[in-house]
Amino acid sequence: MKEYTLAPVSSRESMHLLGGVIQTREKLLELIAELNEEDMHHQVSDFPSIAGYALHLAQIEWWWNQAVLRETSVTDEDRERFLFKEEQTIHCPVHIEKSFLLARLGEARIQTREYYYALSDQEFRRADKKPAGSKTEEVYSPEWVLWHLLHHESYHIGQMYMLRRWINGQREKWDHFNTPYLSL
């Protein structure tokens, strides 16, 4: 029998949800470990590359950590180190190596873990976090931010696995849609 749990259950709720985020990251790291540099940057149609998704995940996690949880802005040094662009696109320059992406993913995750390790259950649920410099009335709880990071990363990992299948040539054969009978 195989058991599926988030992590060893902790008395703190933030640690329990953090266990799910950790397991999701392990799936991402397994996928990246299977790929070579060429596959990481391989372009399939108009989709971002797997490297683009990996960089995007690191950037987003870093942003939520800085701008929302710590209520500070992303510094110019952060922008340079994480290759932030003003436009919201998922892209990674082809000269960026897998080790760079793993380092950024690791940096962001260390920051996430440090934040949540120091959090009480009351602070975890309190919706009082507002993005630095934001003029909106929206506030977030650290619980919601962690759930959002888990959902966001899971969503993009699914896209990355789909891309890997296409890259490996395991995509379905759609030639039957090019038959002359469909144009009748």
Side-chain angles (χ1 to χ4, degrees):
M1 177 173 74
K2 189 171 182 178
E3 286 185 25
Y4 293 92
T5 62
L6 289 179
V9 177
S10 169
S11 60
R12 292 184 38 227
E13 293 179 25
S14 60
M15 294 299 102
H16 189 64
L17 189 55
L18 187 60
V21 175
I22 291 168
Q23 285 186 345
T24 302
R25 179 55 55 88
E26 288 171 358
K27 275 301 219 193
L28 174 61
L29 297 177
E30 284 174 21
L31 172 64
I32 291 173
E34 296 171 359
L35 300 172
N36 61 33
E37 299 284 339
E38 183 181 339
D39 287 347
M40 289 288 296
H41 291 284
H42 185 82
Q43 209 62 50
V44 176
S45 191
D46 289 336
F47 287 98
S49 65
I50 291 174
Y53 282 120
L55 180 59
H56 172 70
L57 289 171
Q59 291 169 333
I60 294 301
E61 186 169 355
W62 189 264
W63 183 86
W64 278 97
N65 269 289
Q66 293 300 108
V68 179
L69 296 176
R70 287 171 175 80
E71 299 178 89
T72 63
S73 42
V74 175
T75 66
D76 290 339
E77 180 185 313
D78 293 339
R79 289 182 190 286
E80 187 176 321
R81 195 169 69 256
F82 280 83
L83 306 177
F84 278 102
K85 301 275 186 219
E86 288 306 314
E87 69 275 1
Q88 288 290 317
T89 59
I90 299 176
H91 174 73
C92 182
V94 293
H95 70 278
I96 298 299
E97 296 178 359
K98 185 178 1 179
S99 60
F100 174 89
L101 297 170
L102 292 170
R104 296 302 78 77
L105 286 164
E107 272 184 80
R109 185 49 47 93
I110 286 169
Q111 198 175 53
T112 299
R113 290 172 78 158
E114 286 174 353
Y115 180 83
Y116 285 98
Y117 282 158
L119 211 56
S120 72
D121 281 343
Q122 284 107 356
E123 293 168 320
F124 182 60
R125 288 228 162 88
R126 187 179 309 131
D128 64 352
K129 301 293 181 188
K130 190 173 182 177
S134 174
K135 294 181 183 13
T136 70
E137 294 300 315
E138 296 175 336
V139 291
Y140 302 91
S141 70
E143 178 184 34
W144 187 91
V145 171
L146 195 55
W147 175 86
H148 175 72
L149 290 172
L150 174 61
H151 179 265
H152 182 251
E153 190 159 314
S154 298
Y155 179 79
H156 286 314
I157 288 172
Q159 293 172 314
M160 294 163 82
Y161 271 99
M162 177 189 69
L163 287 171
R164 187 192 66 180
R165 283 189 59 137
W166 285 346
I167 291 168
N168 289 338
Q170 297 172 349
R171 63 184 145 232
E172 282 190 52
K173 304 288 186 234
W174 293 98
D175 293 337
H176 60 280
F177 285 121
N178 295 327
T179 65
Y181 302 108
L182 290 176
S183 60
L184 297 176

PDB file of all heavy atoms in Angstrom, residues 118-135:
ATOM      1  N   ALA A 118       8.979  30.640  10.947  1.00  0.00           N
ATOM      2  CA  ALA A 118       8.920  31.594  12.057  1.00  0.00           C
ATOM      3  C   ALA A 118       7.501  32.077  12.355  1.00  0.00           C
ATOM      4  O   ALA A 118       7.313  32.924  13.222  1.00  0.00           O
ATOM      5  CB  ALA A 118       9.812  32.792  11.729  1.00  0.00           C
ATOM      6  N   LEU A 119       6.502  31.531  11.675  1.00  0.00           N
ATOM      7  CA  LEU A 119       5.134  32.052  11.751  1.00  0.00           C
ATOM      8  C   LEU A 119       4.282  31.263  12.752  1.00  0.00           C
ATOM      9  O   LEU A 119       4.327  30.032  12.772  1.00  0.00           O
ATOM     10  CB  LEU A 119       4.515  31.924  10.359  1.00  0.00           C
ATOM     11  CG  LEU A 119       3.488  32.912   9.900  1.00  0.00           C
ATOM     12  CD1 LEU A 119       4.025  34.331   9.976  1.00  0.00           C
ATOM     13  CD2 LEU A 119       3.089  32.604   8.470  1.00  0.00           C
ATOM     14  N   SER A 120       3.499  31.961  13.534  1.00  0.00           N
ATOM     15  CA  SER A 120       2.530  31.292  14.412  1.00  0.00           C
ATOM     16  C   SER A 120       1.266  30.986  13.606  1.00  0.00           C
ATOM     17  O   SER A 120       1.054  31.549  12.530  1.00  0.00           O
ATOM     18  CB  SER A 120       2.184  32.183  15.602  1.00  0.00           C
ATOM     19  OG  SER A 120       1.378  33.267  15.181  1.00  0.00           O
ATOM     20  N   ASP A 121       0.389  30.137  14.165  1.00  0.00           N
ATOM     21  CA  ASP A 121      -0.861  29.816  13.470  1.00  0.00           C
ATOM     22  C   ASP A 121      -1.751  31.048  13.323  1.00  0.00           C
ATOM     23  O   ASP A 121      -2.445  31.201  12.326  1.00  0.00           O
ATOM     24  CB  ASP A 121      -1.620  28.706  14.193  1.00  0.00           C
ATOM     25  CG  ASP A 121      -1.040  27.325  13.901  1.00  0.00           C
ATOM     26  OD1 ASP A 121      -0.286  27.197  12.911  1.00  0.00           O
ATOM     27  OD2 ASP A 121      -1.350  26.394  14.655  1.00  0.00           O
ATOM     28  N   GLN A 122      -1.740  31.938  14.307  1.00  0.00           N
ATOM     29  CA  GLN A 122      -2.552  33.156  14.200  1.00  0.00           C
ATOM     30  C   GLN A 122      -2.037  34.050  13.077  1.00  0.00           C
ATOM     31  O   GLN A 122      -2.818  34.594  12.291  1.00  0.00           O
ATOM     32  CB  GLN A 122      -2.565  33.945  15.516  1.00  0.00           C
ATOM     33  CG  GLN A 122      -3.442  33.324  16.558  1.00  0.00           C
ATOM     34  CD  GLN A 122      -2.602  32.674  17.654  1.00  0.00           C
ATOM     35  OE1 GLN A 122      -1.381  32.631  17.570  1.00  0.00           O
ATOM     36  NE2 GLN A 122      -3.266  32.163  18.662  1.00  0.00           N
ATOM     37  N   GLU A 123      -0.728  34.218  13.000  1.00  0.00           N
ATOM     38  CA  GLU A 123      -0.140  35.033  11.929  1.00  0.00           C
ATOM     39  C   GLU A 123      -0.376  34.389  10.573  1.00  0.00           C
ATOM     40  O   GLU A 123      -0.566  35.079   9.570  1.00  0.00           O
ATOM     41  CB  GLU A 123       1.365  35.192  12.151  1.00  0.00           C
ATOM     42  CG  GLU A 123       1.725  36.002  13.365  1.00  0.00           C
ATOM     43  CD  GLU A 123       3.191  35.887  13.717  1.00  0.00           C
ATOM     44  OE1 GLU A 123       3.760  34.779  13.625  1.00  0.00           O
ATOM     45  OE2 GLU A 123       3.769  36.924  14.093  1.00  0.00           O
ATOM     46  N   PHE A 124      -0.381  33.057  10.530  1.00  0.00           N
ATOM     47  CA  PHE A 124      -0.586  32.302   9.301  1.00  0.00           C
ATOM     48  C   PHE A 124      -1.939  32.620   8.678  1.00  0.00           C
ATOM     49  O   PHE A 124      -2.054  32.748   7.462  1.00  0.00           O
ATOM     50  CB  PHE A 124      -0.470  30.813   9.613  1.00  0.00           C
ATOM     51  CG  PHE A 124      -0.608  29.895   8.439  1.00  0.00           C
ATOM     52  CD1 PHE A 124       0.271  29.968   7.365  1.00  0.00           C
ATOM     53  CD2 PHE A 124      -1.590  28.924   8.419  1.00  0.00           C
ATOM     54  CE1 PHE A 124       0.159  29.093   6.291  1.00  0.00           C
ATOM     55  CE2 PHE A 124      -1.700  28.044   7.355  1.00  0.00           C
ATOM     56  CZ  PHE A 124      -0.827  28.127   6.292  1.00  0.00           C
ATOM     57  N   ARG A 125      -2.952  32.781   9.509  1.00  0.00           N
ATOM     58  CA  ARG A 125      -4.312  33.004   9.011  1.00  0.00           C
ATOM     59  C   ARG A 125      -4.706  34.470   8.909  1.00  0.00           C
ATOM     60  O   ARG A 125      -5.690  34.802   8.273  1.00  0.00           O
ATOM     61  CB  ARG A 125      -5.301  32.297   9.930  1.00  0.00           C
ATOM     62  CG  ARG A 125      -5.264  30.804   9.787  1.00  0.00           C
ATOM     63  CD  ARG A 125      -6.673  30.287   9.644  1.00  0.00           C
ATOM     64  NE  ARG A 125      -6.697  28.963   9.102  1.00  0.00           N
ATOM     65  CZ  ARG A 125      -6.624  27.867   9.831  1.00  0.00           C
ATOM     66  NH1 ARG A 125      -6.513  27.955  11.128  1.00  0.00           N
ATOM     67  NH2 ARG A 125      -6.673  26.696   9.253  1.00  0.00           N
ATOM     68  N   ARG A 126      -3.946  35.361   9.496  1.00  0.00           N
ATOM     69  CA  ARG A 126      -4.320  36.783   9.542  1.00  0.00           C
ATOM     70  C   ARG A 126      -4.127  37.427   8.163  1.00  0.00           C
ATOM     71  O   ARG A 126      -3.039  37.479   7.631  1.00  0.00           O
ATOM     72  CB  ARG A 126      -3.471  37.517  10.576  1.00  0.00           C
ATOM     73  CG  ARG A 126      -3.911  38.953  10.792  1.00  0.00           C
ATOM     74  CD  ARG A 126      -3.075  39.671  11.841  1.00  0.00           C
ATOM     75  NE  ARG A 126      -2.994  38.899  13.070  1.00  0.00           N
ATOM     76  CZ  ARG A 126      -1.857  38.628  13.718  1.00  0.00           C
ATOM     77  NH1 ARG A 126      -0.712  39.066  13.263  1.00  0.00           N
ATOM     78  NH2 ARG A 126      -1.871  37.927  14.829  1.00  0.00           N
ATOM     79  N   ALA A 127      -5.202  37.961   7.628  1.00  0.00           N
ATOM     80  CA  ALA A 127      -5.157  38.620   6.316  1.00  0.00           C
ATOM     81  C   ALA A 127      -4.806  40.090   6.523  1.00  0.00           C
ATOM     82  O   ALA A 127      -5.674  40.947   6.634  1.00  0.00           O
ATOM     83  CB  ALA A 127      -6.485  38.484   5.591  1.00  0.00           C
ATOM     84  N   ASP A 128      -3.511  40.362   6.570  1.00  0.00           N
ATOM     85  CA  ASP A 128      -3.072  41.739   6.762  1.00  0.00           C
ATOM     86  C   ASP A 128      -1.867  42.088   5.889  1.00  0.00           C
ATOM     87  O   ASP A 128      -1.245  43.119   6.078  1.00  0.00           O
ATOM     88  CB  ASP A 128      -2.751  42.000   8.239  1.00  0.00           C
ATOM     89  CG  ASP A 128      -1.584  41.163   8.749  1.00  0.00           C
ATOM     90  OD1 ASP A 128      -1.104  40.269   8.029  1.00  0.00           O
ATOM     91  OD2 ASP A 128      -1.158  41.406   9.894  1.00  0.00           O
ATOM     92  N   LYS A 129      -1.571  41.249   4.924  1.00  0.00           N
ATOM     93  CA  LYS A 129      -0.423  41.482   4.051  1.00  0.00           C
ATOM     94  C   LYS A 129      -0.888  42.169   2.773  1.00  0.00           C
ATOM     95  O   LYS A 129      -1.770  41.685   2.073  1.00  0.00           O
ATOM     96  CB  LYS A 129       0.277  40.166   3.691  1.00  0.00           C
ATOM     97  CG  LYS A 129       0.790  39.398   4.894  1.00  0.00           C
ATOM     98  CD  LYS A 129       1.896  40.164   5.542  1.00  0.00           C
ATOM     99  CE  LYS A 129       2.447  39.413   6.736  1.00  0.00           C
ATOM    100  NZ  LYS A 129       3.394  40.193   7.489  1.00  0.00           N
ATOM    101  N   LYS A 130      -0.273  43.302   2.500  1.00  0.00           N
ATOM    102  CA  LYS A 130      -0.614  44.084   1.315  1.00  0.00           C
ATOM    103  C   LYS A 130       0.661  44.232   0.488  1.00  0.00           C
ATOM    104  O   LYS A 130       1.725  44.511   1.043  1.00  0.00           O
ATOM    105  CB  LYS A 130      -1.119  45.447   1.768  1.00  0.00           C
ATOM    106  CG  LYS A 130      -1.725  46.271   0.687  1.00  0.00           C
ATOM    107  CD  LYS A 130      -2.336  47.527   1.294  1.00  0.00           C
ATOM    108  CE  LYS A 130      -2.986  48.339   0.212  1.00  0.00           C
ATOM    109  NZ  LYS A 130      -3.647  49.516   0.739  1.00  0.00           N
ATOM    110  N   PRO A 131       0.588  44.047  -0.829  1.00  0.00           N
ATOM    111  CA  PRO A 131       1.798  44.210  -1.652  1.00  0.00           C
ATOM    112  C   PRO A 131       2.429  45.581  -1.454  1.00  0.00           C
ATOM    113  O   PRO A 131       1.739  46.591  -1.414  1.00  0.00           O
ATOM    114  CB  PRO A 131       1.281  44.041  -3.080  1.00  0.00           C
ATOM    115  CG  PRO A 131       0.038  43.230  -2.942  1.00  0.00           C
ATOM    116  CD  PRO A 131      -0.571  43.653  -1.632  1.00  0.00           C
ATOM    117  N   ALA A 132       3.738  45.585  -1.305  1.00  0.00           N
ATOM    118  CA  ALA A 132       4.485  46.830  -1.113  1.00  0.00           C
ATOM    119  C   ALA A 132       4.198  47.791  -2.254  1.00  0.00           C
ATOM    120  O   ALA A 132       4.251  47.426  -3.426  1.00  0.00           O
ATOM    121  CB  ALA A 132       5.976  46.539  -1.030  1.00  0.00           C
ATOM    122  N   GLY A 133       3.868  49.010  -1.908  1.00  0.00           N
ATOM    123  CA  GLY A 133       3.604  50.042  -2.904  1.00  0.00           C
ATOM    124  C   GLY A 133       2.238  49.955  -3.559  1.00  0.00           C
ATOM    125  O   GLY A 133       1.905  50.764  -4.410  1.00  0.00           O
ATOM    126  N   SER A 134       1.426  48.992  -3.164  1.00  0.00           N
ATOM    127  CA  SER A 134       0.114  48.816  -3.778  1.00  0.00           C
ATOM    128  C   SER A 134      -0.876  49.838  -3.243  1.00  0.00           C
ATOM    129  O   SER A 134      -0.886  50.159  -2.063  1.00  0.00           O
ATOM    130  CB  SER A 134      -0.402  47.404  -3.493  1.00  0.00           C
ATOM    131  OG  SER A 134      -1.715  47.268  -3.958  1.00  0.00           O
ATOM    132  N   LYS A 135      -1.720  50.318  -4.127  1.00  0.00           N
ATOM    133  CA  LYS A 135      -2.744  51.266  -3.733  1.00  0.00           C
ATOM    134  C   LYS A 135      -4.126  50.610  -3.647  1.00  0.00           C
ATOM    135  O   LYS A 135      -5.114  51.277  -3.399  1.00  0.00           O
ATOM    136  CB  LYS A 135      -2.761  52.434  -4.705  1.00  0.00           C
ATOM    137  CG  LYS A 135      -1.482  53.261  -4.631  1.00  0.00           C
ATOM    138  CD  LYS A 135      -1.524  54.418  -5.577  1.00  0.00           C
ATOM    139  CE  LYS A 135      -0.290  55.262  -5.637  1.00  0.00           C
ATOM    140  NZ  LYS A 135       0.914  54.826  -5.069  1.00  0.00           N
TER     141      LYS A 135
END
